[in-house]
Amino acid sequence: MAGILAWFWNERFWLPHNVTWADLKNTDEATFPQAEDLYLAFPLAFCIFMVRLIFERFVAKPCAIALNIQANGPQIAQPNAILEKVFTAITKHPDEKRLEGLSKQLDWDVRSIQRWFRQRCNQEKPSTLRKFCESMWRFSFSLYVFTYGVRFLKKTPWLWNTRHCWYNYPYQPLTTDLHYYYILELSFYWSLMFSQFTDIKRKDFGIMFLHHLVAIFLISFSYVNNMARVGTLVLCLHDSADALLEAAKMANYAKFQKICDLLFVMFAMVFITTRLGIFPLWCPRMIEVILSLAQMRKTPNLQGRALTLRPPPMGPVVPTGTS
């Protein structure tokens, strides 16, 4: 196990040349991201999950009722032990031959049996009120974390000039706001991993589980090797459209169709602009710097010193764009 861990955390893979994990230990002068910090995400994820339960019960549910969203689900099927056994153990959609056999066994007509299976299938579907509460929680958290990210990033130089993500890398001190932002995002994805098994079951369960797993992996390792600056940009960019999507769902559940259509159009515009516009434009610039570092690593006359990019003399930060 020790050999596997040593191979996985190989400094030649994670860090620039001549930089070791010991160089990134906290000192009296500077604080750097530590792998141990990630353990804070587990208790915080549990707290987020508990806050969600309280929010859905005492905030989201009253709002749904005020919007005349019904708490009752679909019509419950008449209790029948034989049909229930077929439904749970054999099939939820019996063919004609099985329907005829059940019709003779129960002395029911085929149409009544088909109606029973249809009601029994609908019985497992979640109520609109539950779906509204879930969307309202995600909307509220997404709006909060995106607002916090914008307020934090607008004070940083790397929002306006992405080259600041790499100046003096990896010796970039960890600030309190950056630490809180990263751990909060990581905790939220861990809470989604836990709650996915109790939430409304959807057809894309496996895809979303993989999505959360990949997000946790990327957030964790970008924090450990101190790529947190560029990580905050990616996180904020991806959070920008989430609140609009959940707001559109809420409007749909409340049967505000025009508002739902407007919000969905806004979501599509923001999603396309950020994910297919801004993000791809940022990536080539970031990759260019990473490739420059890799090339410097191979240059013989640079092998004896650490690879860092020093910022030019700077005055006050002036917003000049995203490049």
Side-chain angles (χ1 to χ4, degrees):
M1 180 60 70
I4 295 176
L5 290 176
W7 169 82
F8 183 81
W9 292 109
N10 192 318
E11 293 157 346
R12 296 289 295 168
F13 175 76
W14 292 102
L15 300 174
H17 182 71
N18 273 5
V19 180
T20 66
W21 293 115
D23 296 330
L24 297 180
K25 291 295 183 183
N26 292 333
T27 64
D28 295 336
E29 292 78 19
T31 301
F32 300 106
Q34 305 296 312
E36 296 79 14
D37 298 342
L38 300 178
Y39 290 123
L40 296 172
F42 293 104
L44 186 56
F46 177 76
C47 292
I48 290 175
F49 181 72
M50 297 306 295
V51 169
R52 172 187 173 172
L53 296 180
I54 296 172
F55 178 89
E56 290 186 353
R57 182 180 182 121
F58 296 104
V59 178
K61 187 175 181 179
C63 290
I65 294 175
L67 293 171
N68 295 321
I69 297 177
Q70 299 297 321
N72 58 316
Q75 184 178 357
I76 299 176
Q78 176 184 348
N80 187 291
I82 296 176
L83 295 180
E84 184 69 26
K85 184 177 181 180
V86 173
F87 182 87
T88 55
I90 302 176
T91 178
K92 297 181 180 180
H93 305 284
D95 54 21
E96 293 184 5
K97 183 177 181 180
R98 192 175 297 277
L99 286 172
E100 291 176 359
L102 290 170
S103 176
K104 295 177 181 179
Q105 184 177 358
L106 297 173
D107 197 21
W108 286 17
D109 60 89
V110 173
R111 186 178 296 274
S112 297
I113 297 176
Q114 289 176 326
R115 186 184 304 113
W116 187 96
F117 275 92
R118 185 167 56 252
Q119 292 176 349
R120 185 63 181 83
C121 287
N122 292 334
Q123 188 176 319
E124 294 193 336
K125 295 181 179 180
S127 65
T128 305
L129 184 141
R130 185 183 174 190
K131 291 189 287 188
F132 179 91
C133 292
E134 182 178 311
S135 290
M136 188 171 182
W137 160 251
R138 297 195 180 196
F139 164 79
S140 302
F141 189 90
S142 298
L143 183 63
Y144 165 73
V145 76
F146 175 68
T147 303
Y148 178 85
V150 171
R151 292 183 60 186
F152 160 61
L153 285 172
K154 72 179 182 180
K155 298 181 292 185
T156 63
W158 61 85
L159 174 65
W160 314 109
N161 185 349
T162 54
R163 289 184 178 274
H164 282 269
C165 293
W166 311 107
Y167 289 147
N168 204 31
Y169 174 81
Y171 302 109
Q172 297 168 341
L174 178 68
T175 64
T176 303
D177 286 339
L178 195 154
H179 172 76
Y180 172 76
Y181 186 33
Y182 242 78
I183 297 301
L184 182 64
E185 289 274 12
L186 180 61
S187 302
F188 179 63
Y189 278 103
W190 272 119
S191 71
L192 290 179
M193 285 279 288
F194 302 147
S195 63
Q196 193 174 8
F197 295 95
T198 59
D199 285 347
I200 298 169
K201 294 296 186 294
R202 293 183 170 87
K203 296 180 180 179
D204 60 350
F205 176 88
I207 296 175
M208 291 308 299
F209 184 84
L210 181 61
H211 170 272
H212 300 333
L213 197 62
V214 171
I216 290 171
F217 178 87
L218 293 175
I219 293 173
S220 299
F221 289 102
S222 64
Y223 181 86
V224 170
N225 68 348
N226 206 10
M227 288 188 177
R229 289 187 178 184
V230 64
T232 56
L233 297 178
V234 176
L235 286 171
C236 190
L237 197 65
H238 282 68
D239 287 338
S240 59
D242 292 346
L244 289 171
L245 177 61
E246 298 301 334
K249 291 181 181 180
M250 291 163 56
N252 181 51
Y253 298 145
K255 300 188 184 305
F256 298 151
Q257 195 58 46
K258 291 184 178 179
I259 298 178
C260 172
D261 295 340
L262 176 62
L263 288 170
F264 186 79
V265 170
M266 293 172 62
F267 160 75
M269 293 174 61
V270 172
F271 185 92
I272 293 172
T273 302
T274 55
R275 311 277 178 104
L276 304 180
I278 298 176
F279 186 63
L281 289 177
W282 271 355
C283 282
R285 297 172 185 268
M286 298 175 185
I287 293 172
E288 179 184 352
V289 176
I290 295 174
L291 291 177
S292 298
L293 290 174
Q295 184 63 34
M296 291 170 67
R297 221 184 253 186
K298 298 177 182 178
T299 305
N301 62 349
L302 294 177
Q303 289 293 318
R305 57 192 175 99
L307 302 176
T308 57
L309 297 178
R310 301 290 179 179
M314 288 180 52
V317 177
V318 179
T320 58
T322 59
S323 60

